Amino acid sequence: MKQIAVVILNWNGVQLLEQFLPSIVAHSPEATIYVADNASTDSSIAFVTANYPDIKIIVNRDNYGFAHGYNEALQHVEEEIYALVNSDIEVTENWLLPIIDTFNNEPATAIIQPKILDYKNKAYFEYAGAAGGYIDKYGYPYCRGRVFDTLEKDLGQYDDHATIFWASGACFFIRKKIFKELQGFDSSFFAHQEEIDLCWRANNKGHIIKYNYLSKVYHVGGATLQQGNAKKTYLNFRNSLLMLTKNLPQWKLLPVLFCRMILDGIAALQFLFKGKTAHFTAIFKAHLNFYALVSNAYKKRDNFQMKKYYRAESIVYTYYIKGGKVFVK
């Protein structure tokens, strides 16, 4: 049995599979490749079966989203390292070798992210992960190479092996034993920010998360849910509040949630003033759903939460008030 499994979650993505499976098959001789299908109604399974008979197919009973979809599928994967790869990722030659080497030589490293560049503009970092993620004191995620919507050009400024706070779910490597210890992704998230929540829980338990620039991939981004989609706004705002409830230190919980409620309200009003009523409504619904789920989220808190969970002052203040568009640790 091979050491690493590349697992691609798919839902009605036959066109993405046609476009991106060739690079994964060509450049992943070290891995067993799986397609985990979330009850697609298109020809995804037929395409993989006909064209890639060596790829293993896992069929979920329903469209469980990213979080529960992977939780279900990974029960059928025996390899000791999971490589969770979006269906809109193009990989490069030898992309797995630096990851395997790091896991083999650094037993304390639990999760790894590669360098993620923009498939549409390959000189620049990509929104979902870039060169590794952090969060600010209010739980807003940002990356080395990407702060809010500002993307940096890859000039080698992040060619390192840094310890990061969270790794992108677009291309996410984790030891099987750690995934099981953490009980996988939180299925209530459905999609978006579940990988940050999992990484926060890993940090709380003392696990190390690394970025390895020697492994490089290109991500389309928004292929399954566009950046401007109101459902994405809903999931991001709701899941961020759930994540804070689960992982903040107790003494920070109420003050930070209160501040986030205010900041979310400001964001909602901005959408309204711009005529983006669907996004305004999405934030309102996100908060209503959060209130329904908050009690259950609170029960999921670990016995220990990191006292120092963030790396900078408010990224909102830095970005919008001070004009800081580039990552500063």
Side-chain angles (χ1 to χ4, degrees), residues 301-319:
R301 290 173 60 84
D302 291 328
N303 293 326
F304 174 79
Q305 280 79 28
M306 297 173 66
K307 291 182 179 178
K308 183 68 172 179
Y309 60 91
Y310 57 90
R311 291 280 181 146
E313 64 184 358
S314 167
I315 197 67
V316 175
Y317 177 80
T318 301
Y319 187 87

Side-chain angles (χ1 to χ4, degrees), residues 23 141 166 172 216 223 246 271 280 302:
S23 77
W166 60 269
F172 186 94
K216 182 170 65 177
K246 291 175 59 180
F271 280 127
F280 171 83
D302 291 328

